[in-house]
Amino acid sequence: MNILKGLLPLTVALSSLNASADFSQAELNEFADKTSWSWQVVDNYHNGDKSHLANIELINQSNVDLPAGTADWVIYTNVIRPILTKESEGLAFQFVQGDLYKITPTANFKGLKAGEKLTIAFEGESWASSYSDFMPRSFITQNSLTPAIFSSTDTEDSSQYIKPLDKPEQYQRYSSPKDHWERPTSAWRYDRYSATQEYALSEEAAKRVIIPTPNQVKYRSSSTQLTADWQISYQGSLKSEANLLGDTLDSKLNGSLKVTPNNLPVQDKKLISLAIYDGDEDWAAESYSLEIEKNRIEIIGADNAGVFYAIQSLLSLTPSGTHSQIELPRLSANDAPQYEWRGFMYDMSRNFHGVEITKKLIDQMAHYKLNKLHLHLTEDESWRIEIEGLPELTDLGSQRCFDLSETECMLPTRGSGPFKTSQTNGFYSKEEFVDILKYAKERHIEVIPEIDMPGHARAAIKAMELRQDKLLKAGNKAAANAYLLSDPNDASVYSTMQYFTDNSINVCMDSTYNFIDKVAYELQQMYRQAGLKLNNVHIGGDEVGVGSWTASPICNELYQTAGNGVKGPADLKAYFTRRAAEVLAARGLNISAWEDGIMYDRITPFPIEQFPNDKVFVHAWDNIWEWGVSDRAYRLANEGYHSILSMGTHLYFDHPQEPDPTERGLYWAARYTDVEKVFNFIPEDVYANADFTRSGEPITNLEDLVGRALPQLNKPENIAGIQGQVWSETIRTPEQLGEMVFPRIIALAERAWHRNTVPASEQQQKARQWAEFASVLAQKEYPKLAEAGIRFYLPIPGAKVIDNQVHIINQLPGLTIEYSLDNGVNWQEYSEPVEQSGAMQIRSRSGEHTSRVGYFE
């Protein structure tokens, strides 16, 4: 989910010289270009876990003075944590919305002359212990001038605008209570990685491993040589699967394999045959068998999906690159997935990354046998899908720029900057979305669209207000109000987890449900155009601001209506969910929702009987152990909901991959979540995953921590599956997306497909399994990702002095390790322990890609 629990955003605005001495455009541009802007965290310890001290530093290296006193210039900036200070150094901080703040000069401002430095101290909410807590592209503007971005912030290299977080009071969140997470050292990494080194696979052994692991596989000692003169024969209904296999092998073998239906004669040698099982046994959906013999590869699936997954297992055994022949191990495999729902949620609402990266994600999901792509299409910040008849949703909602009226674009948030040219802007057109649906269908992936309501809906609200204004001016009042989502007379006061104060759809207005019906209708048409049936719409339901609708005249009127089951604000969330579900059920649709959208309170779900839909899927995400609601996955399943394990502590891929401030990501659920943690997730026993509190204290007794008995799972058949999530608040580019998702999504796929029967207490066997998986990632999967144009995360090696020599190891055995003794000027490949000789830099390499640099002394 998208929860910045305990976080807050900031955007700063400064004004120009003074009211009587305005900037020219050239002066504004020069000032922004040549004035250095930087953030600095000063002290997270000063007030427990309540607030932190920080500052903004401006160094004016331009020829333009900022005069003393009030003026019309304004600086805007984005920051995750709310700024509590009202005025500093004569500059006033003002909250705008979400993570956007502005700074303006007051009469107390002493000015900033050319060559001078200004340090603006402030207090922020909670803590700031990560570079990701501060956003790029702060900018200055004045009246009608074009905004100018401070050049030091116009970058994705955060070190250019954030001063180092080197001291404990900077990179830890608090001292009281104690933050147990220390900044990682080379020795810390070495100790973590050392237990698995003896089980690492050789490159030759790694090439023989299929990921995700099949249920049953028997290898024979001999091998098969796959060349371009092999043929593919397929049962007629498997034409799509056969062509995909043929195209892939053609590129790998630089040839053109003959692909023919099985009613035509083929040479009875060097044949790959594809067929649907037609015997008497019951085969589970998506199951398959794969036989690799000397001159024959036989694939039989329970259905088309089963054949497709057998093909992926076959392709998993092939290397990256183009070859004249590919050596395959001879084997027999029988396989079926552990879970029906093997999903991944991708948020492109906060920051849009484009169609190309979406298709690359689909390709990799298919390769690792994930089958549900949950697209988070709408948010407070942006709306990302074209809806015919409601052009304002994308004309306004898909663009962020500097427009405080929000008639041309949404506010500039999440580091997007002031211009529509920002790479974070955009949306899926109808044609593009239909193309994505077809592309996913060919790869046996169902796309689940999410329209997040009634909270997280600011972009939709503003778009429909703009639509109303246009139609009222045109004299069409009836049409103007048809899809309105807000009531101008609603005086409710609230703030959300992401600090929006106006993002709740008014659930008491009939036009709200007309809007839902309209969007659902248009989505259905796109699916039909793609040759598909829309089955499931995710309605969000999460993180509704407390206080929403408490001062709504329309809701107050609704309470007076007899027989509707609504008598006060506490009834409204259930009322909305039921009515939205009824609208969608009338279209033959099931619904999905985030867990808090289905709860009356912390432990009581809505009665499932109130929903007319055939199925209601619920994503259980809020498992921060000490918060006491980690049992919701089981509560919901026991009540008849189809529960999907989506736990924030293990399955949120927007979290950092180390407890290091330079690692990208939010850290509200866990201080870090690396690929090993995802791999070791135990979906069969949610409570067994309770490892650490957010502050890093080991959990030894979860019931004692929570203070009550935890319900057991009585209806395991209602655990539909498992899903990973990536929220994009801090992810602005496709490259950043790749590094956050890969390789964690591969570990997710392993857990979703293959049931791990090794008990959690069997530490040695767990270490062996992880070492084998990690070896395959490094030696087989990473080169394939690079070949597909996917960026991926590389861990920093660990190092330790043993017998006066520096020993270096990697979390993923098989990655190249490099070290430098001259501060990065020259790098050497590590092959054996190095004599200790002062400071050393170390890094991992895979092909052209290297990790962050680690430091060892």
Side-chain angles (χ1 to χ4, degrees), residues 547-818:
S548 298
W549 319 304
T550 51
S552 164
I554 295 175
C555 291
N556 289 337
E557 185 177 338
L558 183 67
Y559 305 150
Q560 313 308 315
T561 304
N564 62 9
V566 183
K567 291 297 171 277
D571 287 332
L572 288 177
K573 189 167 70 169
Y575 171 77
F576 166 80
T577 308
R578 183 176 66 251
R579 279 199 67 178
E582 288 170 350
V583 168
L584 296 172
R587 295 195 166 275
L589 299 172
N590 291 322
I591 63 167
S592 298
W594 299 108
E595 63 177 60
D596 43 331
I598 301 293
M599 306 292 294
Y600 279 117
D601 52 40
R602 290 169 60 82
I603 61 174
T604 313
F606 301 155
I608 194 169
E609 295 78 16
Q610 73 176 1
F611 297 113
N613 318 81
D614 292 337
K615 292 182 179 180
V616 179
F617 295 92
V618 184
H619 294 267
W621 59 271
D622 190 355
N623 74 315
I624 295 76
W625 309 109
E626 60 267 39
W627 289 357
V629 293
S630 60
D631 54 12
R632 282 182 179 166
Y634 288 176
R635 288 184 183 277
L636 290 161
N638 291 342
E639 291 294 326
Y641 291 95
H642 292 266
S643 188
I644 300 164
L645 307 180
S646 309
M647 280 64 188
T649 58
H650 286 68
L651 303 176
Y652 270 41
F653 300 163
D654 50 296
H655 277 43
Q657 312 206 44
E658 273 195 340
D660 188 287
T662 57
E663 287 287 343
R664 183 176 305 281
L666 306 177
Y667 45 99
W668 61 268
R671 187 61 188 88
Y672 77 101
T673 299
D674 66 357
V675 63
E676 184 175 357
K677 185 174 180 180
V678 179
F679 179 84
N680 287 325
F681 181 68
I682 307 170
E684 299 82 10
D685 185 354
V686 167
Y687 305 141
N689 296 291
D691 47 7
F692 296 98
T693 64
R694 289 206 305 167
S695 65
E697 289 186 271
I699 298 172
T700 57
N701 188 325
L702 183 58
E703 285 198 352
D704 180 62
L705 180 69
V706 174
R708 58 175 170 79
L710 296 170
Q712 298 305 302
L713 179 62
N714 299 324
K715 296 183 178 180
E717 67 275 12
N718 286 338
I719 300 295
I722 178 175
Q723 179 169 291
Q725 284 68 227
V726 64
W727 300 95
S728 67
E729 286 97 332
T730 69
I731 303 172
R732 287 173 290 276
T733 71
E735 293 76 20
Q736 292 169 359
L737 179 70
E739 290 196 342
M740 297 301 279
V741 172
F742 296 93
R744 291 188 282 195
I745 195 173
I746 306 176
L748 167 75
E750 176 74 10
R751 291 283 70 86
W753 183 274
H754 179 70
R755 183 179 181 87
N756 187 2
T757 58
V758 176
S761 59
E762 293 290 336
Q763 296 300 320
Q764 185 177 14
Q765 185 60 21
K766 281 181 60 181
R768 182 186 298 276
Q769 285 188 333
W770 160 246
E772 293 176 354
F773 181 84
S775 300
V776 176
L777 285 182
Q779 298 178 86
K780 185 157 69 74
E781 304 308 315
Y782 272 6
K784 291 184 180 181
L785 292 175
E787 185 177 46
I790 296 284
R791 284 292 291 260
F792 47 84
Y793 180 81
L794 283 168
I796 299 175
K800 205 168 190 177
V801 174
I802 303 173
D803 296 331
N804 294 320
Q805 290 186 313
V806 180
H807 292 244
I808 311 176
I809 59 177
N810 206 295
Q811 184 182 32
L812 307 182
L815 287 179
T816 299
I817 296 172
E818 297 178 334

Side-chain angles (χ1 to χ4, degrees), residues 118-137:
L118 175 65
T119 300
I120 311 165
F122 66 90
E123 184 176 15
E125 188 175 287
S126 302
W127 51 80
S129 53
S130 168
Y131 291 81
S132 294
D133 292 338
F134 304 98
M135 299 290 178
R137 298 177 188 87

